[in-house]
Amino acid sequence: IMATGYFVMAIIVSWRFALFGLFGGLVLFLMFRIINKYMHKLSKKGAAEMSHLNSILVQSIQAFKYVISTNQNNRLRYIVFKSTRKLKEYAYKSWRTVGITASVREPIIVLFILTIFFIQIRYYDENINTIFVVLILFHRAVSSALNIQSSWQGVMSMIGSVEMVNDEFDMLVQN
């Protein structure tokens, strides 16, 4: 709501400037949508792998005597280590994406605002006072929108587990 309010105020102050800002905001939205889909996919893979690992561990604990007596512990160890490596890889990719997003947030805002500033001064001969007011409004709006994006990315990193539980409940209801 805050971001929308800042964009509306920017439109009132300078509609041309605001249109450029909205176009840039749409580009950012599309870029982050791709990142969110990637995070969602990683979350689902991680949740599935965690479920597989838990299943293997529970089965091995329940059949511990059998595993030891048939000398299956080395095979089981290999499966557990392989699953753990996959989980580590998914977690690394997920946190790397979060880190990249967090580190490029401010440079994207600055580049975005400076580009609009340059276009307004160079091509539209806009009043500098108006530009500064709209720049402050845009900075606040984009910062607010990117904070929402960061929070949403955190949700997307955990959504795979929630979806797995939901799918299990749906399967129980059907049976």
Side-chain angles (χ1 to χ4, degrees):
I1 294 176
M2 278 182 23
T4 306
Y6 286 129
F7 279 126
V8 168
M9 285 189 278
I11 288 171
I12 291 170
V13 174
S14 175
W15 65 271
R16 269 188 260 166
F17 200 96
L19 288 179
F20 278 111
L22 288 175
F23 175 73
L26 286 174
V27 170
L28 284 175
F29 174 75
L30 293 175
M31 183 178 74
F32 284 121
R33 189 170 175 169
I34 293 168
I35 292 171
N36 284 338
K37 284 182 181 179
Y38 178 68
M39 289 292 290
H40 186 236
K41 184 177 79 170
L42 282 176
S43 177
K44 285 178 107 174
K45 285 182 177 181
E49 191 62 39
M50 182 62 80
S51 174
H52 173 69
L53 178 62
N54 286 337
S55 173
I56 296 290
L57 292 174
V58 166
Q59 288 175 22
S60 65
I61 289 171
Q62 289 176 346
F64 183 72
K65 288 181 182 180
Y66 174 78
V67 169
I68 297 299
S69 66
T70 58
N71 201 21
Q72 295 290 319
N73 53 340
N74 287 334
R75 182 172 165 10
L76 190 61
R77 183 180 299 130
Y78 172 76
I79 292 170
V80 168
F81 283 149
K82 182 179 175 185
S83 182
T84 305
R85 275 193 297 275
K86 282 184 182 179
L87 281 171
K88 182 186 74 158
E89 179 183 320
Y90 296 144
Y92 174 76
K93 287 179 180 179
S94 177
W95 286 108
R96 183 183 62 196
T97 304
V98 169
I100 289 171
T101 303
S103 66
V104 300
R105 181 170 48 201
E106 282 300 318
I108 286 174
I109 292 172
V110 170
L111 182 66
F112 171 67
I113 289 175
L114 286 176
T115 301
I116 294 173
F117 182 78
F118 175 75
I119 290 171
Q120 290 298 312
I121 289 179
R122 177 87 172 153
Y123 297 108
Y124 294 115
D125 224 14
E126 191 79 35
N127 184 359
I128 196 82
N129 295 334
T130 305
I131 290 174
F132 280 127
V133 169
V134 176
L135 278 176
I136 292 170
L137 292 171
F138 268 128
H139 184 268
R140 295 286 300 167
V142 172
S143 294
S144 176
L146 289 177
N147 283 336
I148 292 169
Q149 165 61 29
S150 294
S151 298
W152 186 247
Q153 211 169 21
V155 169
M156 293 308 287
S157 70
M158 299 295 173
I159 199 76
S161 301
V162 174
E163 286 181 353
M164 277 191 78
V165 170
N166 192 30
D167 291 346
E168 289 293 323
F169 280 137
D170 287 346
M171 194 167 59
L172 288 173
V173 169
Q174 289 176 357
N175 293 333

